[in-house]
Amino acid sequence: MGTRPSSRALIDALRHRPVTVATLCSHSSLQIFHGARMERLSTLGIAVGKPPRYYEAFPLARPDSYLTVPKATEVGKYAKQLNALGSVIVPHGSFVEYMGADRFQALQVPVFGNRAVLGWESDRRKERAWLDSAGVSMPRRYETIDDIDGPAIVKYYGAKGGKGFVLAKNRSDLKDFKPSGPYVIQEYVLGTRYYLHFFYSPLSRDGYRVGPGSLELLGMDRRDEANIDELYKLGSQEELTRAGMRPTFVVTGNVPVVARESLLPKLFDVGARIIERSIELFGGMTGPFCVEGIVTEELEFKVFEISARIVAGTNLFPNGSSYSDLVAPQLSMGRRIAQEILRAQSEDRLDAVIS
Ligand code: AMP
């Protein structure tokens, strides 16, 4: 995996000692700790200020110990303490967001997965180049407003929770559009959304083989998004716009879903293509990732985004999902990460899953 030379020694240091699973106390941390504990690994919560009080309510998921830092951006300064505990950092969306992708990439502590993926995933254009060249079907991209020939969505770069996104039924809806930052315009895909929780193991030789390893589907969810999910109750878009109400896509929670079984070949094919291309482009994406897409009435699956790490939708399944139950009992994404670390350690292949 594309490790920097300085990471080599850090990874080597983990070969013959107990590992501690460490992550920032937020997002999917409870599930990560719960899963690590099921595999009898030690856990460390990195808390900004003091440990979150709500952790006290979840005794099976609380970490064994805490590292308190003044700000998420300063986690790098605690590398020595983290390495002394044999930490493997498990990245999640909030960790990378709060710390900053550059600082996260420069962390002098072993990280689960290939951190090279961050450079491909955080830039919408690079991500599109990756998925396009993998042969994955995506919503069409319109270069300019004049190119629009149907419903469209304007998305700002790195928009947190889709705030400020603009929906347009057609080109003329955007004639007075004044962008407030860099953006992309996409075909608005009408259909139903599915967020697929995949895990790619470069070590596994069983199951659905992709590249040197295999691809597992451990769960699926749909995100609850405010205010778009409920906006229709107030009337038509014209009326709402006149009243100053604009759609937003702020994720407030998650609901479990399953896709019809006849879609599974297509969904696995998409996951496999994304992995195969990642191996060619940057040495492979390892561990959890989420493919986010829309199934149309023609049963086409169009991918609008991928997240190259554990997503919060996996929190639905601390003891297994409709899919992971068919892989192994009580298998959460957090537990699967812990299993992979232990397997890599026992096969002396930590460099294949840690960077
Ligand atoms: P994103 O920031 O790309 O994850 O998009 C945030 C939300 O906007 C998604 O969860 C979808 O609900 C919606 N969305 C994004 N792209 C599209 C699209 N091309 N067509 C329809 N809805 C979309």
Side-chain angles (χ1 to χ4, degrees):
M1 193 180 287
T3 51
R4 294 153 302 124
S6 55
S7 300
R8 184 78 246 171
L10 293 172
I11 295 171
D12 276 350
L14 293 176
R15 284 171 68 199
H16 306 294
R17 60 155 300 163
V19 162
T20 297
V21 167
T23 197
L24 191 72
C25 297
S26 182
H27 191 270
S28 43
S29 58
L30 287 170
Q31 189 221 138
I32 292 168
F33 297 138
H34 178 251
R37 181 181 281 212
M38 284 170 118
E39 294 297 321
R40 301 181 198 288
L41 283 175
S42 312
T43 51
L44 176 80
I46 304 170
V48 177
K50 43 185 196 204
R53 190 169 163 218
Y54 69 86
Y55 270 44
E56 300 308 318
F58 301 110
L60 300 183
R62 271 194 317 238
D64 299 317
S65 56
Y66 292 99
L67 170 73
T68 304
V69 300
K71 286 189 206 147
T73 48
E74 294 185 8
V75 172
K77 292 186 186 159
Y78 297 81
K80 213 164 152 195
Q81 285 99 310
L82 288 162
N83 287 324
L85 292 168
S87 299
V88 172
I89 294 222
V90 176
H92 53 61
S94 304
F95 203 153
V96 179
E97 177 73 31
Y98 300 159
M99 196 174 165
D102 291 348
R103 280 194 204 91
F104 190 87
Q105 248 168 329
L107 255 182
Q108 296 292 302
V109 183
V111 168
F112 186 72
N114 182 359
R115 38 182 131 180
V117 72
L118 280 173
W120 286 84
E121 178 223 27
S122 55
D123 176 330
R124 282 196 192 269
R125 282 178 196 265
K126 259 180 118 173
E127 181 185 281
R128 187 162 189 113
W130 166 16
L131 300 184
D132 255 349
S133 62
V136 170
S137 170
M138 299 184 74
R140 279 161 60 204
R141 192 180 64 200
Y142 300 116
E143 289 301 333
T144 67
I145 290 174
D146 288 338
D147 297 333
I148 296 175
D149 61 0
I153 177 167
V154 180
K155 308 193 329 187
Y156 288 102
Y157 279 27
K160 290 182 193 63
K163 274 211 166 143
F165 283 14
V166 180
L167 297 185
K169 287 187 297 306
N170 48 43
R171 191 187 321 157
S172 58
D173 274 359
L174 288 173
K175 64 181 185 313
D176 298 322
F177 172 65
K178 291 194 185 51
S180 59
Y183 64 94
V184 290
I185 312 174
Q186 275 182 4
E187 160 196 15
Y188 185 83
V189 181
L190 263 182
T192 39
R193 291 171 294 125
Y194 294 87
Y195 299 74
L196 320 176
H197 314 157
F198 282 116
F199 186 95
Y200 179 66
S201 166
L203 306 178
S204 171
R205 300 282 173 272
D206 307 317
Y208 190 96
R209 300 296 314 273
V210 177
S214 34
L215 183 65
E216 297 161 21
L217 179 68
L218 296 187
M220 220 181 269
D221 76 301
R222 174 166 310 142
R223 294 182 187 162
D224 272 340
E225 294 176 324
N227 57 23
I228 186 75
D229 288 347
E230 297 293 319
L231 204 59
Y232 70 96
K233 290 182 182 165
L234 286 176
S236 75
Q237 231 200 302
E238 279 87 357
E239 284 173 62
L240 297 173
T241 311
R242 270 201 302 277
M245 281 179 260
R246 306 217 162 265
T248 55
F249 296 80
V250 177
V251 180
T252 57
N254 306 79
V255 287
V257 292
V258 288
R260 47 192 282 179
E261 189 166 321
S262 58
L263 281 169
L264 287 179
K266 206 171 278 181
L267 304 183
F268 268 95
D269 179 61
V270 167
R273 284 170 183 273
I274 292 172
I275 288 298
E276 276 157 1
R277 191 69 184 125
S278 78
I279 293 170
E280 291 162 5
L281 289 174
F282 53 85
M285 177 166 58
T286 304
F289 68 103
C290 181
V291 178
E292 308 171 11
I294 298 172
V295 178
T296 67
E297 61 188 327
E298 287 83 28
L299 298 178
E300 234 199 306
F301 183 60
K302 295 207 180 179
V303 177
F304 59 83
E305 178 79 291
I306 65 164
S307 293
R309 66 186 84 79
I310 187 167
V311 286
T314 61
N315 293 344
L316 286 163
F317 311 117
N319 280 305
S321 76
S322 310
Y323 294 103
S324 72
D325 278 352
L326 310 178
V327 179
Q330 293 197 294
L331 184 61
S332 69
M333 193 59 89
R335 186 174 192 184
R336 185 65 190 84
I337 293 169
Q339 289 174 346
E340 193 76 352
I341 294 171
L342 286 169
R343 177 168 179 175
Q345 206 180 24
S346 74
E347 294 180 5
D348 203 11
R349 297 202 50 209
L350 279 169
D351 60 337
V353 302
I354 287 173
S355 61

